Amino acid sequence: MTDSATNTLDAWELEILDLFVGIFETFGLPKSTAMIYGILYCAEEPMLQEEICQKLSISTGSASQGLKLLSTMGAVHKQNVPGQRQSSYKAEYSMRRLLAYVVDAQLRPKLRNGKERLSQIQSEIPKENTHAQQRIHTLMTWQKKADRALPVISTLFGN
Amino acid sequence: MTDSATNTLDAWELEILDLFVGIFETFGLPKSTAMIYGILYCAEEPMLQEEICQKLSISTGSASQGLKLLSTMGAVHKQNVPGQRQSSYKAEYSMRRLLAYVVDAQLRPKLRNGKERLSQIQSEIPKENTHAQQRIHTLMTWQKKADRALPVISTLFGN
DNA sequence: TACAAGTTTCATTTATTTTTGAAATCTTTA
DNA sequence: TAAAGATTTCAAAAATAAATGAAACTTGTA
């Protein structure tokens, strides 16, 4: 039934890969990376990089880079089993933890950066230019709204 | 000071364009589209498509497609002034309304679609395959969490 | 209705992103 | 420490996405 010996995938696994490819696409992440997460999500046991390459028919480079990205995202975990040369990888299944990355590592830095740029721009506009001042001011209120909303968002998906 | 006669942009306008290009990039939207929104955001008066092409040095095709997308997003509004051949465009300044689009037109359909696909997949897996059933089940709980969270998100950015 | 202004469409070009795979690097063990 | 195994890096190739601009289409005007 399951076919862990050969390199073929079950129908339900293919469907789930598709699903993740779609989701990851929304965030602008490459297909190969989505598929790596997907196959690990489906797997019963942690997998080796080599197995991932085989099952998905992707290159060593793709696997290496994809796994690195997924690791820094906290979406997969690298385990070093003593007495085994290769590292093993398993998926993070907690939605809350996955979202924590998106919020903390992606959204927050962008917000902070935006805030700095806005102050910078504002300080460069003469007070007489009320139109420009008004526009910047509106953007700053957007900024503040986002600032207040972010922490609540993680909460919404909590366990 | 402002330079609406020629095609040059003020420093603060360039900065704001950059800012929007960055934000739009996060959502996988093209640079030209971001710039169109940016220039309309900065403008004191509604603009004609032709003026947008000139100010941004983009082609008619880009302007047309970008404006169409922004219109369906509700991010810009097309106004037809009687006695004027060309349509005018102005930016939507309300953050809440902008987010409403992202949530309603993008996120919700994807969620609904995901839900359908999951049920479909589940129905195709034999009950004996407990591993697969378990994985699908977890995804369905993700689904439900997202479902509950979505409506709250729009709220957070309300006026 | 014919003409002209304005806009959209879409095949082609250009730019960007992703993937590959072989060489370089790092790691383990004999 | 040498040799083999595992992983990473990165230049080049392939795939994808965005922008262009001329032709087709639409709409208003004489």
Side-chain angles (χ1 to χ4, degrees):
Chain A
M1 184 194 322
T2 36
D3 210 343
S4 45
T6 80
N7 298 333
T8 60
L9 298 175
D10 291 348
W12 70 276
E13 291 176 311
L14 288 172
E15 299 259 24
I16 289 196
L17 288 210
D18 273 1
L19 204 60
F20 280 121
V21 168
I23 294 169
F24 276 56
E25 205 167 63
T26 311
F27 297 101
L29 297 172
K31 192 165 68 160
S32 65
T33 305
M35 294 199 305
I36 294 170
Y37 181 78
I39 199 71
L40 288 173
Y41 185 94
C42 292
E44 297 213 44
E45 300 293 332
M47 292 178 76
L48 309 176
Q49 178 168 313
E50 202 192 345
E51 294 177 307
I52 294 168
C53 290
Q54 286 174 354
K55 277 226 167 191
L56 297 177
S57 305
I58 61 175
S59 67
T60 54
S62 275
S64 176
Q65 292 189 171
L67 284 168
K68 188 160 101 182
L69 173 59
L70 289 165
S71 291
T72 65
M73 280 178 51
V76 313
H77 301 289
K78 188 176 188 171
Q79 331 189 279
N80 283 317
V81 182
Q84 179 166 92
R85 257 170 120 111
Q86 294 142 297
S87 302
S88 289
Y89 298 89
K90 58 177 293 218
E92 168 63 65
Y93 301 108
S94 157
M95 192 187 190
R96 198 194 53 65
R97 288 201 204 110
L98 284 172
L99 272 169
Y101 162 76
V102 178
V103 172
D104 287 343
Q106 307 290 99
L107 269 43
R108 252 185 241 290
K110 276 188 188 156
L111 259 191
R112 192 173 44 251
N113 178 42
K115 191 185 291 185
E116 280 159 16
R117 294 189 60 180
L118 281 174
S119 313
Q120 180 57 27
I121 299 171
Q122 189 176 42
S123 71
E124 285 164 2
I125 305 175
K127 276 184 291 301
E128 304 81 68
N129 190 343
T130 53
H131 167 66
Q133 287 288 352
Q134 163 54 34
R135 286 293 189 272
I136 303 287
H137 180 260
T138 303
L139 278 181
M140 283 177 151
T141 68
W142 287 24
Q143 181 67 251
K144 282 182 200 119
K145 280 183 194 174
D147 239 349
R148 263 182 276 116
L150 266 202
V152 188
I153 288 177
S154 324
T155 295
L156 292 176
F157 296 90
N159 311 307
Chain B
M1 184 194 322
T2 36
D3 211 341
S4 44
T6 81
N7 298 333
T8 61
L9 298 174
D10 291 348
W12 71 276
E13 289 176 311
L14 288 171
E15 300 259 23
I16 289 195
L17 288 208
D18 273 2
L19 205 60
F20 280 121
V21 168
I23 295 170
F24 276 55
E25 204 167 63
T26 311
F27 296 101
L29 298 172
K31 191 164 67 161
S32 64
T33 305
M35 295 199 305
I36 294 170
Y37 181 77
I39 199 72
L40 288 173
Y41 185 94
C42 292
E44 297 212 44
E45 300 293 333
M47 292 177 78
L48 309 175
Q49 177 168 314
E50 202 193 344
E51 295 178 308
I52 295 169
C53 290
Q54 287 175 354
K55 277 227 170 191
L56 297 178
S57 305
I58 61 175
S59 66
T60 54
S62 274
S64 176
Q65 292 192 168
L67 284 168
K68 188 159 102 182
L69 174 59
L70 289 166
S71 291
T72 66
M73 281 177 51
V76 313
H77 302 291
K78 189 176 186 169
Q79 330 190 281
N80 283 317
V81 182
Q84 179 165 93
R85 260 166 117 108
Q86 295 142 297
S87 302
S88 289
Y89 297 89
K90 58 177 292 218
E92 168 63 63
Y93 301 108
S94 157
M95 192 187 190
R96 196 191 55 65
R97 287 200 205 112
L98 283 172
L99 273 169
Y101 161 75
V102 178
V103 171
D104 287 345
Q106 308 289 99
L107 268 45
R108 253 186 240 289
K110 278 191 185 152
L111 259 192
R112 191 172 45 251
N113 178 41
K115 190 186 291 185
E116 280 160 15
R117 296 190 59 179
L118 282 173
S119 313
Q120 180 55 28
I121 300 171
Q122 189 176 42
S123 71
E124 287 164 1
I125 306 173
K127 276 185 292 301
E128 303 81 69
N129 190 344
T130 54
H131 166 66
Q133 288 287 352
Q134 163 54 35
R135 286 292 189 274
I136 303 286
H137 180 260
T138 303
L139 278 181
M140 284 177 151
T141 69
W142 287 23
Q143 180 68 250
K144 282 183 200 118
K145 280 183 193 173
D147 239 348
R148 262 181 278 116
L150 266 202
V152 188
I153 288 178
S154 323
T155 294
L156 291 175
F157 296 91
N159 307 312

